[in-house]
Protein backbone atom coordinates (compact mmCIF):
# COMPACT_ATOMS: atom_id res chain seq x y z
CA UNK A 1 0.00 0.00 0.00
CA UNK A 2 1.33 3.42 -0.99
CA UNK A 3 2.27 6.09 1.52
CA UNK A 4 -0.52 8.68 1.41
CA UNK A 5 0.74 12.27 0.94
CA UNK A 6 -1.98 14.22 2.74
CA UNK A 7 -2.17 17.94 2.19
CA UNK A 8 -3.26 18.72 5.75
CA UNK A 9 -0.03 17.26 7.10
CA UNK A 10 1.86 19.79 4.98
CA UNK A 11 -0.50 22.59 6.06
CA UNK A 12 -0.02 21.76 9.74
CA UNK A 13 3.73 21.54 9.21
CA UNK A 14 3.76 25.04 7.67
CA UNK A 15 1.41 26.63 10.21
CA UNK A 16 3.78 27.24 13.15
CA UNK A 17 6.52 28.52 10.87
CA UNK A 18 4.18 30.98 9.14
CA UNK A 19 2.54 32.07 12.40
CA UNK A 20 5.96 32.91 13.85
CA UNK A 21 6.77 35.06 10.81
CA UNK A 22 3.43 36.87 11.09
CA UNK A 23 4.12 37.52 14.77
CA UNK A 24 7.54 39.00 13.98
CA UNK A 25 5.95 41.39 11.49
CA UNK A 26 3.32 42.47 14.03
CA UNK A 27 6.10 43.31 16.52
CA UNK A 28 7.33 45.76 13.89
CA UNK A 29 3.87 47.26 13.56
CA UNK A 30 2.99 45.46 10.31
CA UNK A 31 -0.11 43.27 10.02
CA UNK A 32 0.31 41.21 6.84
CA UNK A 33 -2.85 41.53 4.78
CA UNK A 34 -4.27 39.67 1.79
CA UNK A 35 -6.81 41.39 -0.44
CA UNK A 36 -9.19 39.00 -2.20
CA UNK A 37 -10.90 40.41 -5.30
CA UNK A 38 -14.01 38.66 -6.62
CA UNK A 39 -16.52 39.59 -9.34
CA UNK A 40 -19.83 37.77 -9.04
CA UNK A 41 -20.61 34.80 -6.81
CA UNK A 42 -19.39 31.62 -8.47
CA UNK A 43 -19.70 28.76 -5.94
CA UNK A 44 -16.11 27.56 -6.46
CA UNK A 45 -14.78 31.11 -5.90
CA UNK A 46 -16.83 31.49 -2.72
CA UNK A 47 -15.62 28.11 -1.46
CA UNK A 48 -11.95 28.96 -2.11
CA UNK A 49 -12.44 32.41 -0.56
CA UNK A 50 -13.82 30.91 2.67
CA UNK A 51 -10.92 28.46 2.85
CA UNK A 52 -8.33 31.15 2.15
CA UNK A 53 -9.72 33.50 4.80
CA UNK A 54 -9.85 30.72 7.39
CA UNK A 55 -6.28 29.60 6.62
CA UNK A 56 -4.84 33.13 6.59
CA UNK A 57 -6.60 34.28 9.75
CA UNK A 58 -5.53 31.06 11.49
CA UNK A 59 -1.91 32.01 10.80
CA UNK A 60 -2.35 35.63 11.92
CA UNK A 61 -2.89 37.42 8.60
CA UNK A 62 -5.64 39.93 7.96
CA UNK A 63 -7.93 39.55 4.95
CA UNK A 64 -9.83 42.25 3.09
CA UNK A 65 -12.62 41.04 0.81
CA UNK A 66 -13.53 43.09 -2.26
CA UNK A 67 -16.62 41.67 -3.93
CA UNK A 68 -18.21 43.26 -6.97
CA UNK A 69 -21.47 42.46 -8.79
CA UNK A 70 -21.13 40.31 -11.89
CA UNK A 71 -22.49 43.13 -14.05
CA UNK A 72 -20.05 45.83 -12.89
CA UNK A 73 -18.81 47.70 -15.95
CA UNK A 74 -15.20 47.44 -17.05
CA UNK A 75 -14.06 50.99 -16.29
CA UNK A 76 -15.72 51.02 -12.85
CA UNK A 77 -13.99 47.79 -11.90
CA UNK A 78 -10.60 48.98 -13.17
CA UNK A 79 -10.96 52.17 -11.11
CA UNK A 80 -11.82 50.17 -7.99
CA UNK A 81 -8.94 47.79 -8.65
CA UNK A 82 -6.56 50.74 -8.93
CA UNK A 83 -7.55 51.79 -5.38
CA UNK A 84 -6.93 48.27 -4.01
CA UNK A 85 -3.56 48.17 -5.77
CA UNK A 86 -2.58 51.49 -4.17
CA UNK A 87 -3.69 50.57 -0.63
CA UNK A 88 -0.48 50.36 1.40
CA UNK A 89 -2.16 48.19 4.05
CA UNK A 90 -2.75 45.41 1.48
CA UNK A 91 0.44 43.38 0.91
CA UNK A 92 -0.89 40.63 -1.35
CA UNK A 93 -3.71 40.57 -3.90
CA UNK A 94 -5.57 37.49 -5.14
CA UNK A 95 -7.90 38.04 -8.12
CA UNK A 96 -10.39 35.30 -8.94
CA UNK A 97 -10.30 34.19 -12.56
CA UNK A 98 -11.74 33.75 -15.08
CA UNK A 99 -13.36 37.16 -14.89
CA UNK A 100 -16.64 37.94 -16.68
CA UNK A 101 -16.10 38.34 -20.43
CA UNK A 102 -16.82 42.08 -20.40
CA UNK A 103 -13.91 42.76 -17.99
CA UNK A 104 -10.56 43.42 -19.67
CA UNK A 105 -8.49 40.78 -17.87
CA UNK A 106 -5.33 41.78 -19.76
CA UNK A 107 -5.53 45.30 -18.33
CA UNK A 108 -5.99 43.89 -14.82
CA UNK A 109 -3.00 41.55 -15.35
CA UNK A 110 -0.83 44.41 -16.56
CA UNK A 111 -1.90 46.80 -13.80
CA UNK A 112 -1.48 44.61 -10.70
CA UNK A 113 1.58 45.59 -8.66
CA UNK A 114 4.03 42.69 -9.16
CA UNK A 115 5.12 43.07 -5.52
CA UNK A 116 1.55 42.29 -4.44
CA UNK A 117 0.84 39.69 -7.13
CA UNK A 118 0.94 36.66 -4.82
CA UNK A 119 -0.62 34.18 -7.29
CA UNK A 120 1.45 35.16 -10.35
CA UNK A 121 -1.21 36.90 -12.38
CA UNK A 122 1.17 39.38 -14.02
CA UNK A 123 3.51 38.70 -16.92
CA UNK A 124 6.27 40.33 -14.85
CA UNK A 125 6.11 37.64 -12.16
CA UNK A 126 5.72 34.83 -14.69
CA UNK A 127 8.88 36.07 -16.41
CA UNK A 128 10.67 36.09 -13.04
CA UNK A 129 9.65 32.47 -12.43
CA UNK A 130 11.12 31.48 -15.82
CA UNK A 131 14.27 33.51 -15.12
CA UNK A 132 14.75 31.95 -11.67
CA UNK A 133 14.35 35.39 -10.05
CA UNK A 134 13.21 34.77 -6.47
CA UNK A 135 11.69 38.25 -6.13
CA UNK A 136 8.72 36.99 -8.19
CA UNK A 137 5.90 34.82 -6.90
CA UNK A 138 5.11 31.55 -8.65
CA UNK A 139 1.45 30.52 -8.97
CA UNK A 140 0.32 28.99 -5.67
CA UNK A 141 -0.44 25.49 -7.01
CA UNK A 142 3.03 24.77 -8.48
CA UNK A 143 4.69 26.00 -5.31
CA UNK A 144 2.29 23.85 -3.27
CA UNK A 145 3.63 20.80 -5.15
CA UNK A 146 7.20 21.76 -4.20
CA UNK A 147 6.19 22.40 -0.56
CA UNK A 148 4.57 18.95 -0.44
CA UNK A 149 7.65 17.21 -1.84
CA UNK A 150 9.90 19.05 0.62
CA UNK A 151 7.65 18.27 3.59
CA UNK A 152 7.66 14.53 2.85
CA UNK A 153 11.43 14.57 2.22
CA UNK A 154 11.06 13.45 -1.40
CA UNK A 155 14.34 14.51 -2.99
CA UNK A 156 14.23 16.02 -6.46
CA UNK A 157 17.92 16.49 -7.19
CA UNK A 158 18.92 14.27 -10.12
CA UNK A 159 15.64 12.33 -10.00
CA UNK A 160 13.73 11.35 -13.14
CA UNK A 161 10.60 13.48 -12.93
CA UNK A 162 7.83 13.30 -15.52
CA UNK A 163 5.36 16.18 -15.55
CA UNK A 164 2.14 15.66 -17.51
CA UNK A 165 0.71 19.10 -18.30
CA UNK A 166 1.90 22.31 -19.91
CA UNK A 167 -0.58 25.01 -18.87
CA UNK A 168 0.66 28.48 -17.98
CA UNK A 169 -1.10 28.20 -14.62
CA UNK A 170 0.48 24.93 -13.44
CA UNK A 171 2.56 22.93 -15.92
CA UNK A 172 5.03 25.49 -17.28
CA UNK A 173 5.80 27.31 -14.00
CA UNK A 174 6.03 23.98 -12.15
CA UNK A 175 8.56 22.82 -14.73
CA UNK A 176 10.73 25.84 -13.87
CA UNK A 177 10.47 25.15 -10.13
CA UNK A 178 11.41 21.50 -10.66
CA UNK A 179 14.44 22.44 -12.77
CA UNK A 180 15.48 24.86 -10.03
CA UNK A 181 15.50 21.84 -7.69
CA UNK A 182 17.85 20.06 -10.16
CA UNK A 183 15.29 17.45 -11.23
CA UNK A 184 15.90 15.62 -14.51
CA UNK A 185 12.67 16.63 -16.15
CA UNK A 186 10.49 15.22 -18.93
CA UNK A 187 7.44 17.29 -19.90
CA UNK A 188 4.52 15.41 -21.44
CA UNK A 189 0.95 16.33 -22.35
CA UNK A 190 -2.23 14.85 -23.78
CA UNK A 191 -0.69 14.64 -27.28
CA UNK A 192 2.54 12.92 -26.25
CA UNK A 193 3.16 9.77 -28.29
CA UNK A 194 3.36 6.69 -26.05
CA UNK A 195 2.58 8.67 -22.91
CA UNK A 196 2.43 5.41 -20.98
CA UNK A 197 6.08 4.57 -21.68
CA UNK A 198 7.27 8.10 -20.84
CA UNK A 199 5.41 8.12 -17.53
CA UNK A 200 6.56 4.65 -16.55
CA UNK A 201 10.22 5.78 -16.57
CA UNK A 202 9.55 8.35 -13.85
CA UNK A 203 10.69 8.08 -10.27
CA UNK A 204 8.36 11.00 -9.57
CA UNK A 205 5.24 11.38 -11.73
CA UNK A 206 3.24 14.63 -11.54
CA UNK A 207 -0.16 14.74 -13.24
CA UNK A 208 -1.41 18.24 -14.10
CA UNK A 209 -3.21 17.88 -17.43
CA UNK A 210 -6.76 18.52 -16.26
CA UNK A 211 -8.13 15.23 -17.59
CA UNK A 212 -10.05 13.02 -15.18
CA UNK A 213 -8.32 9.73 -14.27
CA UNK A 214 -6.11 9.77 -17.40
CA UNK A 215 -3.13 8.31 -15.52
CA UNK A 216 -3.79 4.58 -15.13
CA UNK A 217 -1.85 1.81 -13.38
CA UNK A 218 -0.09 1.06 -16.68
CA UNK A 219 1.48 4.55 -16.62
CA UNK A 220 3.17 4.10 -13.25
CA UNK A 221 6.43 2.37 -12.42
CA UNK A 222 6.63 0.20 -9.31
CA UNK A 223 7.31 2.34 -6.21
CA UNK A 224 7.07 5.71 -7.99
CA UNK A 225 5.94 8.86 -6.19
CA UNK A 226 2.72 10.13 -7.79
CA UNK A 227 1.55 13.72 -7.27
CA UNK A 228 -1.95 14.46 -8.56
CA UNK A 229 -2.60 18.15 -9.24
CA UNK A 230 -5.82 17.66 -11.23
CA UNK A 231 -9.25 18.66 -9.98
CA UNK A 232 -12.01 17.18 -12.10
CA UNK A 233 -15.50 15.73 -11.80
CA UNK A 234 -15.98 12.10 -12.86
CA UNK A 235 -18.97 10.53 -14.62
CA UNK A 236 -20.71 9.98 -11.27
CA UNK A 237 -20.32 13.65 -10.32
CA UNK A 238 -17.57 13.00 -7.76
CA UNK A 239 -14.43 15.08 -7.37
CA UNK A 240 -11.38 13.29 -8.74
CA UNK A 241 -7.88 13.96 -9.95
CA UNK A 242 -5.95 13.24 -13.13
CA UNK A 243 -4.88 9.91 -11.61
CA UNK A 244 -7.02 6.79 -11.37
CA UNK A 245 -6.33 6.57 -7.65
CA UNK A 246 -7.80 3.10 -7.04
CA UNK A 247 -5.78 1.58 -9.87
CA UNK A 248 -2.51 3.41 -9.20
CA UNK A 249 -2.36 3.35 -5.39
CA UNK A 250 -1.33 -0.35 -5.08
CA UNK A 251 1.65 0.25 -7.43
CA UNK A 252 2.92 3.63 -6.24
CA UNK A 253 5.35 4.10 -3.39
CA UNK A 254 3.68 7.38 -2.41
CA UNK A 255 0.60 9.12 -3.80
CA UNK A 256 -1.34 12.33 -3.13
CA UNK A 257 -5.13 12.01 -3.03
CA UNK A 258 -7.80 14.22 -4.61
CA UNK A 259 -9.41 15.81 -2.72
CA UNK A 260 -7.15 16.26 0.30
CA UNK A 261 -3.79 16.54 -1.47
CA UNK A 262 -2.04 19.42 -3.26
CA UNK A 263 -5.19 21.57 -3.33
CA UNK A 264 -5.22 21.74 0.46
CA UNK A 265 -1.77 23.32 0.46
CA UNK A 266 -2.47 26.15 -2.01
CA UNK A 267 -4.04 28.50 0.56
CA UNK A 268 -1.05 28.02 2.86
CA UNK A 269 1.21 29.02 -0.03
CA UNK A 270 -1.03 32.04 -0.62
CA UNK A 271 -0.45 33.02 3.02
CA UNK A 272 3.30 32.37 2.65
CA UNK A 273 3.52 34.62 -0.41
CA UNK A 274 1.58 37.37 1.39
CA UNK A 275 3.99 37.14 4.33
CA UNK A 276 6.95 37.33 1.95
CA UNK A 277 5.40 40.42 0.32
CA UNK A 278 4.94 42.10 3.72
CA UNK A 279 8.49 41.20 4.77
CA UNK A 280 9.91 42.65 1.54
CA UNK A 281 8.64 46.17 2.32
Amino acid sequence: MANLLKGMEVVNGMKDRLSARAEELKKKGVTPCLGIVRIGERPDDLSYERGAVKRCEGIGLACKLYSFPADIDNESFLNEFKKINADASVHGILVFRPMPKHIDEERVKNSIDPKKDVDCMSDVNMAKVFAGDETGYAPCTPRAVIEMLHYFNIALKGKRVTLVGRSLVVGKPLAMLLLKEHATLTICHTRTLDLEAECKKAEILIAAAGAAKMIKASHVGEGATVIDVGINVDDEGNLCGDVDFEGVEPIAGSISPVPGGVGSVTTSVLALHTLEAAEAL
Side-chain angles (χ1 to χ4, degrees), residues 77-116:
F77 174 74
L78 289 168
N79 286 332
E80 290 299 319
F81 188 70
K82 195 179 292 182
K83 294 175 194 172
I84 299 164
N85 221 8
D87 187 342
S89 71
V90 175
H91 303 102
I93 298 173
L94 170 68
V95 182
F96 281 115
R97 294 180 285 171
M99 297 181 182
K101 286 185 170 60
H102 66 279
I103 300 295
D104 189 344
E105 195 168 310
E106 281 300 309
R107 280 179 68 186
V108 179
K109 272 176 63 176
N110 292 327
S111 67
I112 191 169
D113 183 345
K115 293 175 184 173
K116 298 184 179 187

Side-chain angles (χ1 to χ4, degrees), residues 100-218:
K101 286 185 170 60
H102 66 279
I103 300 295
D104 189 344
E105 195 168 310
E106 281 300 309
R107 280 179 68 186
V108 179
K109 272 176 63 176
N110 292 327
S111 67
I112 191 169
D113 183 345
K115 293 175 184 173
K116 298 184 179 187
D117 178 24
V118 289
D119 195 27
C120 199
M121 185 180 194
S122 71
D123 292 339
V124 172
N125 272 338
M126 189 61 78
K128 286 184 174 184
V129 171
F130 276 75
D133 183 341
E134 293 188 4
T135 63
Y137 302 104
C140 291
T141 300
R143 187 162 179 185
V145 171
I146 301 297
E147 289 290 332
M148 175 174 273
L149 291 166
H150 284 175
Y151 177 81
F152 289 106
N153 295 313
I154 297 166
L156 286 161
K157 188 176 181 179
K159 291 289 182 69
R160 295 189 306 278
V161 179
T162 298
L163 169 60
V164 184
R166 54 179 171 175
S167 73
L168 203 53
V169 178
V170 180
K172 289 176 182 175
L174 179 52
M176 295 302 106
L177 298 183
L178 291 165
L179 289 172
K180 195 174 177 184
E181 298 275 337
H182 308 295
T184 300
L185 183 64
T186 299
I187 302 173
C188 298
H189 43 80
T190 52
R191 291 181 179 84
T192 297
L193 297 177
D194 204 353
L195 179 65
E196 209 171 88
E198 292 296 337
C199 290
K200 203 148 191 170
K201 297 173 191 172
E203 293 170 276
I204 300 169
L205 175 60
I206 304 173
K213 299 184 181 179
M214 70 173 287
I215 300 298
K216 308 292 186 187
S218 57

Side-chain angles (χ1 to χ4, degrees), residues 68-82:
F68 301 96
D71 60 355
I72 186 171
D73 68 85
N74 188 51
E75 290 305 317
S76 297
F77 174 74
L78 289 168
N79 286 332
E80 290 299 319
F81 188 70
K82 195 179 292 182

